[in-house]
Amino acid sequence: MKRALRMVVLLMLLGVLVTPGPAPANAAGKTTWTSVVAYFNPNPEPDPLPPDYTEPVLNVLFLQQGSTSRRELLNDIEIKPYQSGTLLVGNVLRDPNFTGGAVISATVPVLAVYKQVSTETKEPYSPILYTSFALSDAGLGTFYLPNVQANQAYDTRIGVQNVESLQIEVVLRFYSEEQGEFVTARKPLYNQRTLVINASDALKEAYNGAMQQPSLPFRGSLVVQAFRAGNDDPARLVVVAQEIQGGGRRAYAFEGVNGGDSWLFMPNAMCEMGDNKMSAEMMVQNVGAGDATVWVEYYSAAGDLVATSPTAVITPGYNHRFDACDEAVYAQTRGQGLSAVIHSDGEPIAALGKVRSDDGLMTAYTGLRMPGAALPGQPYRTVLPYVEWSPKSTGLRTYLTIMNVSNQPATDVRVLYYGSGGVLESSHWVARSDAQPGPLAPYARRTSNPGAARALNPDTNHFAGAVIVESDQPVVVVARVQRTVGTGSYSTLGDEYNGIPYAEILEY
């Protein structure tokens, strides 16, 4: 049975490390990193099996930054229904200096996450994670990053991938409330290749209308434009960013977006929650054509509206920072694990959420839009291609936050934990109408993890696999992957990535 190939795109912004053996230190953060592609087949086996049925397979094409060479994993990787796996990039490429992108193609839709873990054992960095892009996620002519910075602590590393089959040219437009707008000249980019550049370097090539350059430190937002080479026709692209702390151990990544909406959802919007005082901030970018009036509503675990931020007027391209511990809402939000809805008066907006704690945690995730409609007769599905639970807290552990984004209570929400071999290890109810824990109120959140869901291997206390969240109402999901460390003032390091809405029934 032959099927059309489905494709997803990943960017790889740091060098990879072959295991075992040393690799040169990477300039970003002065360390080396193992780079892993985690993939998942969220599709069931057809019933009945067609006579010409063959097991699904995937291939990975690696594309060096700025190069015309192609590095392909030639052997088909079998990926059975609900099976997940990991691909250690260094063992495929055997090139510790590789920077570029990857295109995953498969005979069924697959979803993927890119994970990087520092090789330091005594003083590790935070893990870095971000999700794959489907070709439908590409922006036609524009892509947005709600936050970029260049200072002593962080220098945003920007990755732009051309997803066209022809050469394009890209322009970087930086916006700062303090300094204004600065634009680079057009940069050529080969077909399906990547541009990887630090914000500080790009800003050296950027000018405003008076031919003045920005000064450092810089903090603002970014719009990346793409054109077909030689003309002004828009071209397709995707953009991601990484930030690695200089002089510290925090690191995180986040995806850009191809547009926005007038409502965005933030499952983690806490203020000084818990002993480590986890708190959140949101950078909101106007991706529309006119001024946007924006405000944030904070909701409790019971679904009660506990606070509303003051409004902010944001000019197109620019951003504004909202803090869950801002003095205007602090009395209502302090000590609570909240979710948030970001509103605009009509202009589309994009957002980046960051969660920080007193014990070292700093994560980032992209603000979530309303998922598309579920298929007729089917639940809403959200997929997390990589979920892990180490038996030791010094290993990686995954915590899920599920937010109901409907204006109706969710009465049937299950978190399905699939082991790497495709076996359903646990079905964890986080909302149900006829038993505990009860319905999930509109805009409220609940949590799950492999330990609480009893998905661990009883012999090893370990879980490695993927998750599908099924729900009767639309939900959004964020996964936080963290570990315990003993490095100076840091005892917890981690990052977050977004669950991927998935609604497709394969026809065989």
Side-chain angles (χ1 to χ4, degrees):
M1 178 188 66
K2 293 184 177 180
R3 297 185 55 81
L5 292 178
R6 311 298 183 93
M7 302 177 71
V8 297
V9 178
L10 284 169
L11 289 176
M12 291 177 284
L13 305 189
L14 291 180
V16 301
L17 174 66
V18 180
T19 303
N26 191 297
K30 307 298 183 183
T31 191
T32 53
W33 303 78
T34 56
S35 300
V36 174
V37 176
Y39 54 85
F40 176 52
N41 175 6
N43 305 286
E45 187 174 73
D47 184 17
L49 284 177
D52 58 347
Y53 177 79
T54 58
E55 293 291 356
V57 295
L58 66 82
N59 294 278
V60 184
L61 176 65
F62 295 99
L63 301 164
Q64 179 78 36
Q65 176 189 214
S67 170
T68 57
S69 65
R70 300 165 69 90
R71 301 161 178 247
E72 187 168 5
L73 180 65
L74 298 176
N75 296 327
D76 289 340
I77 300 173
E78 188 174 86
I79 180 166
K80 297 179 180 180
Y82 302 123
Q83 189 176 44
S84 57
T86 56
L87 197 63
L88 186 59
V89 179
N91 283 355
V92 176
L93 297 180
R94 299 195 173 276
D95 180 357
N97 299 310
F98 178 87
T99 301
V103 177
I104 300 173
S105 58
T107 52
V108 295
V110 297
L111 302 172
V113 166
Y114 185 51
K115 179 185 74 169
Q116 292 174 299
V117 181
S118 69
T119 60
E120 302 284 348
T121 56
K122 294 183 178 179
E123 296 185 350
Y125 280 78
S126 168
I128 297 174
L129 300 105
Y130 47 87
T131 56
S132 58
F133 294 96
L135 292 182
S136 59
D137 296 323
L140 182 60
T142 52
F143 224 78
Y144 303 91
L145 285 177
N147 184 71
V148 294
Q149 55 185 322
N151 51 53
Q152 287 186 338
Y154 295 99
D155 189 359
T156 307
R157 202 170 197 198
I158 303 158
V160 182
Q161 185 158 357
N162 173 7
V163 298
E164 299 279 7
S165 58
L166 47 79
Q167 184 172 329
I168 69 171
E169 296 172 338
V170 298
V171 173
L172 278 62
R173 292 183 173 271
F174 292 90
Y175 297 84
S176 165
E177 286 184 305
E178 294 79 19
Q179 300 190 53
E181 178 184 359
F182 300 87
V183 185
T184 68
R186 290 193 179 194
K187 295 177 175 291
L189 194 54
Y190 292 116
N191 58 306
Q192 296 187 329
R193 295 316 191 270
T194 59
L195 166 69
V196 180
I197 188 168
N198 286 356
S200 60
D201 293 327
L203 287 164
K204 293 175 183 177
E205 306 173 19
Y207 295 85
N208 63 14
M211 295 304 294
Q212 298 171 327
Q213 291 190 284
S215 61
L216 299 182
F218 181 95
R219 183 165 185 173
S221 51
L222 176 66
V223 178
V224 182
Q225 296 176 301
F227 309 92
R228 295 193 172 200
N231 59 50
D232 290 332
D233 293 340
R236 294 182 302 164
L237 75 163
V238 296
V239 182
V240 300
Q242 289 178 345
E243 294 182 347
I244 301 173
Q245 186 180 22
R249 314 317 269 184
R250 290 168 166 166
Y252 48 84
F254 51 94
E255 309 84 22
V257 294
N258 61 9
D261 209 336
S262 58
W263 285 49
L264 295 175
F265 303 99
M266 314 298 290
N268 291 326
M270 61 284 286
C271 173
E272 296 184 358
M273 183 186 76
D275 293 339
N276 61 351
K277 295 187 177 181
M278 291 177 64
S279 301
E281 66 178 16
M282 290 152 279
M283 305 301 299
V284 181
Q285 182 182 17
N286 181 354
V287 301
D291 288 353
T293 301
V294 179
W295 66 99
V296 180
E297 295 177 344
Y298 297 93
Y299 290 86
S300 71
D304 297 323
L305 176 61
V306 299
T308 301
S309 75
T311 60
V313 177
I314 308 175
T315 304
Y318 289 81
N319 69 6
H320 181 81
R321 177 178 178 269
F322 293 88
D323 195 315
C325 292
D326 182 86
E327 63 179 2
V329 296
Y330 182 72
Q332 292 78 39
T333 61
R334 180 186 181 189
Q336 296 194 63
L338 305 172
S339 48
V341 181
I342 307 174
H343 295 274
S344 166
D345 61 351
E347 290 293 333
I349 53 175
L352 175 70
K354 292 185 178 181
V355 176
R356 63 189 183 275
S357 72
D358 285 354
D359 63 354
L361 189 70
M362 175 69 85
T363 71
Y365 70 98
T366 304
L368 292 138
R369 296 187 238 182
M370 176 69 73
L375 295 173
Q378 298 289 319
Y380 290 89
R381 290 189 175 94
T382 306
V383 175
L384 297 110
Y386 163 76
V387 174
E388 183 174 357
W389 189 271
S390 171
K392 296 181 178 180
S393 63
T394 52
L396 297 177
R397 290 182 169 181
T398 309
Y399 298 83
L400 309 181
T401 303
I402 301 105
M403 178 182 178
N404 178 8
V405 298
S406 168
N407 60 6
Q408 300 295 319
T411 58
D412 185 358
V413 183
R414 293 187 300 163
V415 184
L416 306 177
Y417 287 85
Y418 290 93
S420 58
V423 176
L424 179 62
E425 301 292 349
S426 176
S427 178
H428 184 207
W429 293 90
V430 295
R432 58 193 308 178
S433 60
D434 57 350
Q436 290 296 324
L440 178 59
Y443 314 127
R445 66 176 212 156
R446 285 191 182 145
T447 61
S448 180
N449 65 67
R454 299 182 179 180
L456 306 182
N457 182 304
D459 296 324
T460 63
N461 288 322
H462 180 257
F463 177 85
V467 157
I468 299 177
V469 179
E470 293 189 345
S471 56
D472 65 313
Q473 299 292 339
V475 301
V476 295
V477 186
V478 171
R480 185 176 77 251
V481 181
Q482 69 178 51
R483 61 181 173 189
T484 300
V485 297
T487 304
S489 61
Y490 302 96
S491 57
T492 304
L493 293 171
D495 193 11
E496 292 178 307
Y497 77 90
N498 290 348
I500 307 168
Y502 181 75
E504 186 162 353
I505 293 180
L506 302 183
E507 296 182 0
Y508 290 88

